[in-house]
């Protein structure tokens, strides 16, 4: 799917791949994160286990992902914060330790999704205008520049 995010006087167009998180699909993940400018790693704030799994994905991205990949951590299901198992403080401390963005989201109630992508947009360095095809991306716009970035 695609998502266009305003960022300053630019529009950033993200091409987004949703990778299956289950272990049995693990071997497919590199196909998605290779060549991506950003990765959103999602955990469930109501499940401590999912936070441990997230750390494994971060390790994998650091070891095998693109060198300058922007990492964003999304603590999903923030609409269920009354049954949370993962304190936001823990997620913030971890995100800081790996230089990632962190935000709590609700896919159900569309909370903080825009903020998540805006945060990623701000961290992705500008494309070199002389270089076409960087990260599979190219300049698409004219006056308000629209750039196309891969994200998984
Ligand atoms: N309350 C609540 N439920 C959610 C939210 N996001 C997803 N769900 C529910 O959580 C369940 C799993 O959602 P999926 O989107 O299949 O999760 P996933 O991690 O993408 O699953 P895989 O792609 O199979 O790894 C579904 O029942 C969703 O309705 C949310 O923000 N809040």
């Amino acid at each position: 799917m695609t998502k266009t995010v305003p960022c300053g006087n630019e529009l950033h167009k993200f091409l987004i791949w949703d990778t299956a998180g289950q272990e049995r699909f693990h071997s497919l993940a590199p196909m998605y994160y290779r060549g991506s400018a950003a990765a959103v790693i999602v955990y469930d704030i109501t499940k401590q286990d999912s936070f441990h799994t997230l750390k494994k994905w971060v390790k994998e991205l650091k070891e095998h992902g693109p060198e300058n990949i922007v990492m964003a951590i999304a603590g999903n299901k923030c609409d269920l914060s009354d049954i949370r198992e993962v304190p936001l403080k823990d997620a913030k401390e971890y995100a800081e330790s790996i230089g990632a963005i962190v935000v709590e989201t609700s896919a159900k109630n569309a909370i903080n999704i825009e903020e998540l992508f805006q945060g990623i947009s701000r961290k992705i360095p500008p494309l070199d205008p002389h270089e076409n095809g960087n990260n599979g991306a190219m300049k698409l716009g004219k006056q308000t520049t629209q750039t196309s970035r891969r994200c998984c």
Side-chain angles (χ1 to χ4, degrees), residues 72-120:
I73 292 177
N76 195 42
K77 303 199 185 177
C78 70
D79 55 292
L80 299 178
S81 61
D82 48 333
I83 52 165
R84 87 160 55 233
E85 287 184 4
V86 184
L88 178 57
K89 182 170 164 284
D90 291 5
K92 280 186 170 167
E93 278 172 11
Y94 178 65
E96 197 178 335
S97 76
I98 59 161
I101 295 163
V102 62
V103 69
E104 286 195 344
T105 56
S106 169
K108 185 180 174 194
N109 295 346
I111 295 169
N112 276 345
I113 309 298
E114 282 302 314
E115 288 75 2
L116 172 67
F117 281 94
Q118 279 167 7
I120 294 170

Side-chain angles (χ1 to χ4, degrees), residues 1-3 10-17 35-38 70 120-128 134-140 145-152:
M1 69 178 284
T2 64
K3 180 168 179 60
E10 295 186 341
L11 287 175
H12 291 170
K13 184 176 179 185
F14 286 86
L15 314 179
I16 305 167
W17 282 264
S36 285
V70 171
I120 294 170
S121 264
R122 283 193 294 270
K123 282 196 81 175
I124 294 181
L127 289 174
D128 179 347
N134 183 12
N135 275 342
M138 57 185 171
K139 292 264 183 190
L140 297 175
T145 317
Q146 184 172 320
T147 53
S148 167
R149 307 297 173 80
R150 289 189 50 167
C151 180
C152 64

